[in-house]
Amino acid sequence: AQSVTQLDSQVPVFEEAPVELRCNYSSSVSVYLFWYVQYPNQGLQLLLKYLSGSTLVKGINGFEAEFNKSQTSFHLRKPSVHISDTAEYFCAVSTHQNSGGSNYKLTFGKGTLLTVNP
Amino acid sequence: KAGVTQTPRYLIKTRGQQVTLSCSPISGHRSVSWYQQTPGQGLQFLFEYFSETQRNKGNFPGRFSGRQFSNSRSEMNVSTLELGDSALYLCASSLISGGREAFFGQGTRLTVV
């Protein structure tokens, strides 16, 4: 079974400051990793994904994340945040073992509420 | 390309009633998954369907059920509603190969009173 831990439930930052949202995962098999963003009363929007290859992945809205297999981490970063980045961010994992057939599911962390203040 | 469509967006039901939620996936996506989101439990997997068959099920009571039609559209049903079933129900669709990137609908907000 896999699990995801988002280390911070809330992260307040000032506009134009850098931010890092932390995510650690646990799995006995190889994983696919995702970051999603959720705005109030909305569904989830995919920010970026790691499937294979380069461990640094770039996503939408200037976000990037780095996959670190030895530390089982997938932290999300943005060098300069905007007010409009205020939202809840979810890290999620699925495993190679189940991606192509039965037993597929996404396992989510509890979420990190990013609040960008002027 | 149209996204994932969930209907209705909002529902208010009384305890003991049943409810059916609908999800239309992105064209070409054969897999549909359902998730429940609550403030206390976060995002929890309910079940996944493709080719009209349930492929995986989360840890929810049998009151929660679903089905998928030949056009990949899916419905989920909750019978004998309880107050604790109040939640945002999210549907996601994906291809059934590769990394299975999931695309989510806007959700159905169910309130049980």
Side-chain angles (χ1 to χ4, degrees):
Chain A
Q2 61 261 35
S3 66
V4 178
T5 302
Q6 291 184 241
L7 297 157
D8 306 295
S9 59
Q10 297 185 55
V11 173
V13 295
F14 288 109
E15 196 173 17
E16 298 184 6
V19 71
E20 178 180 81
L21 306 183
R22 297 180 292 168
C23 171
N24 286 91
Y25 69 91
S26 173
S27 175
S28 57
V29 298
S30 298
V31 297
Y32 298 124
L33 293 155
F34 307 88
W35 275 99
Y36 286 88
V37 60
Q38 186 177 37
Y39 299 100
N41 297 315
Q42 298 292 319
L44 302 176
Q45 180 184 9
L46 182 69
L47 277 177
L48 48 78
K49 61 190 176 190
Y50 172 78
L51 304 183
S52 65
S54 173
T55 57
L56 182 64
V57 293
K58 294 187 184 298
I60 62 171
N61 300 340
F63 285 94
E64 64 180 34
E66 185 153 21
F67 170 56
N68 187 318
K69 187 174 181 180
S70 62
Q71 297 189 6
T72 60
S73 68
F74 190 55
H75 300 333
L76 180 70
R77 302 185 183 101
K78 187 169 182 178
S80 176
V81 295
H82 303 289
I83 299 285
S84 60
D85 292 323
T86 295
E88 190 148 28
Y89 292 78
F90 293 92
C91 181
V93 63
S94 69
T95 64
H96 289 213
Q97 185 179 53
N98 59 33
S99 65
S102 299
N103 300 319
Y104 164 77
K105 68 176 182 180
L106 281 171
T107 299
F108 288 90
K110 292 289 189 185
T112 297
L113 178 62
L114 173 65
T115 303
V116 181
N117 298 301
Chain B
K1 196 174 189 180
V4 178
T5 303
Q6 290 188 247
T7 56
R9 287 293 311 278
Y10 301 94
L11 267 177
I12 301 176
K13 290 287 188 179
T14 303
R15 268 186 306 173
Q17 287 186 312
Q18 75 167 15
V19 67
T20 299
L21 312 181
S22 179
C23 173
S24 293
I26 290 171
S27 177
H29 286 190
R30 291 169 53 200
S31 166
V32 174
S33 302
W34 289 89
Y35 294 82
Q36 181 196 65
Q37 185 177 24
T38 59
Q41 299 298 317
L43 281 152
Q44 294 186 285
F45 171 77
L46 280 157
F47 26 65
E48 189 232 356
Y49 287 85
F50 73 82
S51 297
E52 301 175 65
T53 302
Q54 187 179 91
R55 303 291 177 167
N56 196 11
K57 189 178 191 308
N59 189 25
F60 279 83
R63 301 185 296 107
F64 291 82
S65 63
R67 58 177 177 169
Q68 187 181 36
F69 302 95
S70 58
N71 62 358
S72 295
R73 191 177 70 84
S74 177
E75 290 180 346
M76 68 164 281
N77 183 278
V78 188
S79 62
T80 319
L81 284 165
E82 300 176 0
L83 295 179
D85 297 332
S86 294
L88 181 66
Y89 289 88
L90 292 164
C91 166
S93 75
S94 69
L95 298 171
I96 57 170
S97 59
R100 302 288 299 273
E101 177 183 340
F103 294 84
F104 284 81
Q106 293 197 307
T108 294
R109 171 75 62 186
L110 172 64
T111 302
V112 182
V113 298

